[in-house]
Amino acid sequence: MDGVKLHAFWASPFSARVIWALKIKGIPFEHIEEDLPNKSALLLQYNPVHKKIPVLVHGPRPVCESMVIVEYLEETWPQHPLLPTDPHKRAVARFWVKFIEDKSPNVWMVYRTVGEEQEKARRDSSEMLSILEEHGPNKGKKFFGGDSINIVDIAFGGVALWMGAMEEVSGCKMFDAAKLPRLNAWIANFKSSPVIAENLPDRGKLCDHLARLREKRLSSSTSK
Amino acid sequence: MAEEVKLFRTWSSPFALRVVWALQLKGIQYETVLEDVAKKSDVLRGYNPVYKKVPVLLHNGRPISESLIILEYVDETWKQHSLLPQDPHARAMARFWAKFGDDKVMQSIWTAFVSEGKEQEAALAEASEHLQKLEEELRGKKFFGGDNIGYLDIALGWLANLVRVFEEISGLRVLDGERFPLLFAWLKEFSDAPVIRDCWPSHDKLITKFIALRQLHGAQSSST
């Protein structure tokens, strides 16, 4: 079988999602750490459209976009499935992945902005969480995937486990544990799963990195 | 058990049209439930409580929402006339480009249509860049799916009628044969294909609808 390489960045929740999927399925891969301010020529060649990580390269062929990569892994390596077999249950799982993808940019916006823009993003992030709490497919279960982690857990994990650092760095609270008991329990379950726990960036290092980036971004947007 | 397939749609939704095309291409018998976008039925809201939008496909009482997800469900449930390719990498590419179509192409063309001045110029330039990438994807192919219409053709099919509507109303040049010969040829091939050509909503009705939407958008953005 062709080798697998992953162009990743230690602080990125998007490359974390792919790493989790690779580790859960036990797929050996070479981790290529990208220096984001100085993206490698190879990365730009493999992802000319978005010029972003993560990029999975299987043999000679690149796959881009974290959740597209996870579906690719699922179809190529069927062990430790991340999607159910029933087509309707698969559609429900994909629905929640899309919901998370569509709404989670609000979480990054809370971190990137200030004032009214940030407040709107905070409200939209909270709404996303409320909807997941009320309608999410994890009622009475340890994970969205039931007893084991599935594609929805992976998608949401990349948001939920970065939210705390973004709240800390931006000083803006999004996750009210009292109002989100199910999601709160889910976070504890997910974080304590060995594959996840062993593949998370150090919280202190992450906050430092995000704080630095935030300062740079905010000062460059106000300077003329 | 007799199979029950219902599609909740509006007369003009390009997203619902994707599902119509898929069902027709596969020769699946279904019932249409026409919804009024201004007054959505309680039944629809019950089947799609998160977004309360069309399309919703109901198969033997089980609802599926989000057009691209419905396409995958239809493809997995009814195997005739495959929409997605068999090869996992080709499937990943189709999903990547469908996401690009919705996130980038549709966004930029819509912004160009509803905005003015510098904002419109910038959106048009962005749209051209994105369309150029689709143009390259068509190289050596009649359809995005190869010799036959597939998932990506259906996902991008909205380009074939809505761009003409936007161009007619705004006088903008978005997708012309000079700059995008392959895409331009594809628009015609796709539009005229059996099954596809019988499903287009009324051009005149679309003109009326989008003139009103554009005015509404202009009024909303100019009021402070």
Side-chain angles (χ1 to χ4, degrees), chain B residues 21-71:
Chain B
W21 290 329
L23 293 171
Q24 303 266 88
L25 280 167
K26 286 182 179 275
I28 298 160
Q29 298 295 313
Y30 68 100
E31 185 192 327
T32 294
V33 180
L34 219 51
E35 288 280 334
D36 178 353
V37 95
K39 244 176 60 182
K40 289 169 189 171
S41 71
D42 289 337
V43 174
L44 174 67
R45 288 166 188 274
Y47 287 136
N48 189 355
V50 173
Y51 290 111
K52 307 173 181 52
K53 282 182 177 176
V54 296
V56 172
L57 188 79
L58 196 69
H59 183 208
N60 293 332
R62 301 202 295 179
I64 303 108
S65 309
E66 292 296 299
S67 60
L68 294 180
I69 293 171
I70 297 172
L71 290 186

Side-chain angles (χ1 to χ4, degrees), chain A residues 18-214:
Chain A
V18 180
I19 291 170
W20 296 333
L22 286 162
K23 296 266 178 182
I24 287 170
K25 287 181 171 287
I27 300 163
F29 68 100
E30 185 189 334
H31 180 129
I32 297 170
E33 184 67 15
E34 287 281 341
D35 173 21
L36 286 191
N38 298 302
K39 290 170 184 173
S40 71
L42 216 50
L43 173 64
L44 299 177
Q45 178 195 319
Y46 285 141
N47 191 355
V49 175
H50 300 298
K51 306 176 178 50
K52 285 182 175 176
I53 54 95
V55 176
L56 187 94
V57 189
H58 183 199
R61 305 197 293 181
V63 185
C64 309
E65 292 295 296
S66 60
M67 297 318 296
V68 172
I69 297 173
V70 174
E71 288 244 24
Y72 175 79
L73 294 176
E74 176 70 2
E75 287 177 353
T76 311
W77 288 273
Q79 70 270 22
H80 298 284
L82 300 172
L83 271 170
T85 43
D86 170 64
H88 186 262
K89 295 195 166 102
R90 289 162 76 85
V92 170
R94 286 179 173 136
F95 173 88
W96 286 109
V97 170
K98 184 162 200 300
F99 175 79
I100 289 158
E101 292 284 82
D102 285 350
K103 302 293 180 188
S104 58
N106 291 306
V107 175
W108 322 134
M109 283 304 278
V110 166
Y111 154 74
R112 283 195 181 117
T113 58
V114 289
E116 256 189 61
E117 212 181 341
Q118 186 189 53
E119 179 49 32
K120 176 171 193 309
R122 190 201 62 75
R123 279 198 306 268
D124 291 341
S125 298
S126 294
E127 195 191 338
M128 170 190 75
L129 295 169
S130 303
I131 290 174
L132 259 172
E133 176 76 17
E134 191 185 336
H135 296 283
N138 63 327
K139 295 190 172 71
K141 296 190 273 183
K142 194 172 172 195
F143 299 113
F144 291 106
D147 291 326
S148 56
I149 286 170
N150 82 348
I151 201 172
V152 183
D153 299 285
I154 288 176
F156 189 54
V159 179
L161 268 48
W162 264 252
M163 203 178 287
M166 296 201 166
E167 286 175 322
E168 198 179 307
V169 159
S170 65
C172 187
K173 196 113 181 79
M174 290 176 269
F175 194 97
D176 184 346
K179 292 198 176 137
L180 306 165
R182 259 204 291 271
L183 285 183
N184 203 33
W186 177 88
I187 288 178
N189 291 334
F190 189 73
K191 252 165 123 168
S192 61
S193 171
V195 165
I196 308 305
E198 287 158 20
N199 292 285
L200 277 176
D202 173 76
R203 170 71 174 241
K205 207 176 153 200
L206 182 62
C207 284
D208 284 344
H209 166 79
L210 290 175
R212 260 197 312 272
L213 263 186
R214 184 169 200 257

